[in-house]
Amino acid sequence: MKIIMLGAPGAGKGTQADRIAQEQNIPHISTGDLFRANVGGGTELGMRAKEYMDRGALVPDELTVEMLFDRVAAEDCRDGYVLDGFPRTIPQAEVLKKELEKRGDRVDLAINVDVPDENIVRRMGGRRACPKCGATYHIEHIPPKQEGICDKCGAELIIRDDDKPETVQKRLSVYHEQTQPLIEFYEKEGILRTVDGTKDMEQVFSDIKALFA
Ligand code: ADP
Ligand code: ADP
Ligand code: ZN
């Protein structure tokens, strides 16, 4: 099963992708996490990506596409994957479609996690991320068992550089301009399903599971 998560920054794509990945036993691939790993590791790709990420802009398609295809070529992706944060532009969606078509393959499902802008700003303010394993928490809605510490790996949680209010506004406008058109793209492909992302995490996940039934 090849699944795409669509939605504004902070809509809960990563949170749900993680659950889907466990349930379906496929890898969760987040281009944001891949970029952050490169930034943390000081790679050339990381250095180039950072200047865009810090401004709340998208990293250019060429860099993003190459990194993504490297990752999905790995053995663990053979039976499918859930993509979180890719595609984010129409050209990215077109490249993905073309590459899959070459192998007689296609995306099975595009899940749009729908959350209005006013909720987003609140969500991002409370987001805490694990720099080591990529797990995500929310100080009010999804707190870790021990404040400031990752449940999964014990690392100290951080606030992402790009979760500052000014950058969040910029990312939202980038989302509306460049990413939202993908909703229509996948609607035309006949594989778009929308869930109400304002519900609590468990409810959203059960709405998503109903899509697989
Ligand atoms: P969010 O939590 O906002 O959905 P991500 O962790 O997915 O954020 O992405 C963080 C940043 O990484 C983005 O603001 C962008 O700069 C970069 N990025 C991630 N995925 C892509 C992509 N598919 N195309 C271009 N840039 C991307
Ligand atoms: P995205 O990957 O779309 O950027 P995340 O999964 O990182 O979004 O979620 C953004 C923030 O909102 C995180 O702090 C996360 O813990 C929290 N969150 C995720 N889903 C929900 C939900 N259904 N209700 C409330 N908060 C949520
Ligand atoms: Zn962790």
Side-chain angles (χ1 to χ4, degrees):
M1 185 99 151
K2 296 185 178 64
I3 302 168
I4 285 173
M5 305 302 292
L6 294 176
K13 301 181 297 297
T15 302
Q16 297 299 331
D18 216 38
R19 305 287 303 269
I20 295 169
Q22 278 175 39
E23 160 103 4
Q24 301 275 321
N25 202 19
I26 50 178
H28 165 196
I29 299 175
S30 156
T31 41
D33 285 348
L34 292 173
F35 279 130
R36 281 184 289 277
N38 275 280
V39 171
T43 68
E44 158 132 30
L45 172 63
M47 288 190 285
R48 292 177 69 185
K50 188 178 186 330
E51 58 175 300
Y52 297 94
M53 295 169 78
D54 284 349
R55 289 191 271 124
L58 294 182
V59 179
D61 287 338
E62 316 82 81
L63 296 179
T64 307
V65 164
E66 193 188 327
M67 176 183 73
L68 190 270
F69 284 117
D70 264 4
R71 176 64 188 88
V72 299
E75 179 63 22
D76 66 335
C77 292
R78 214 184 32 194
D79 298 330
Y81 39 78
V82 48
L83 297 184
D84 155 24
F86 186 96
R88 246 187 172 91
T89 64
I90 293 281
Q92 290 179 13
E94 279 168 348
V95 177
L96 179 63
K97 184 175 181 207
K98 209 158 42 165
E99 284 301 313
L100 289 173
E101 269 171 3
K102 280 187 199 161
R103 296 175 210 117
D105 204 354
R106 55 169 294 171
V107 173
D108 299 288
L109 184 62
I111 303 173
N112 177 31
V113 184
D114 188 32
V115 176
D117 288 9
E118 23 328 343
N119 303 38
I120 293 292
V121 180
R122 231 173 312 138
R123 284 223 186 148
M124 308 282 251
R127 171 154 64 184
R128 296 295 179 272
C130 176
K132 207 167 145 202
C133 78
T136 302
Y137 302 87
H138 190 282
I139 48 174
E140 288 162 53
H141 308 303
I142 307 170
K145 293 193 182 79
Q146 195 189 337
E147 196 186 317
I149 303 293
C150 180
D151 292 349
K152 295 186 181 159
C153 75
E156 217 170 298
L157 301 177
I158 57 156
I159 300 179
R160 274 169 48 175
D161 283 344
D162 58 349
D163 277 350
K164 295 188 295 267
E166 320 82 82
T167 318
V168 169
Q169 285 301 341
K170 165 74 179 159
R171 285 159 68 204
L172 269 174
S173 67
V174 167
Y175 167 75
H176 289 300
E177 274 165 40
Q178 305 198 56
T179 307
Q180 211 170 6
L182 293 178
I183 292 176
E184 204 188 318
F185 180 97
Y186 287 111
E187 198 150 41
K188 283 193 186 137
E189 298 274 306
I191 58 167
L192 183 82
R193 299 290 180 273
T194 296
V195 294
D196 178 355
T198 63
K199 298 181 185 172
D200 70 47
M201 175 176 78
E202 291 301 332
Q203 187 58 53
V204 177
F205 186 54
S206 78
D207 292 350
I208 287 175
K209 275 197 291 192
L211 302 176
F212 301 133

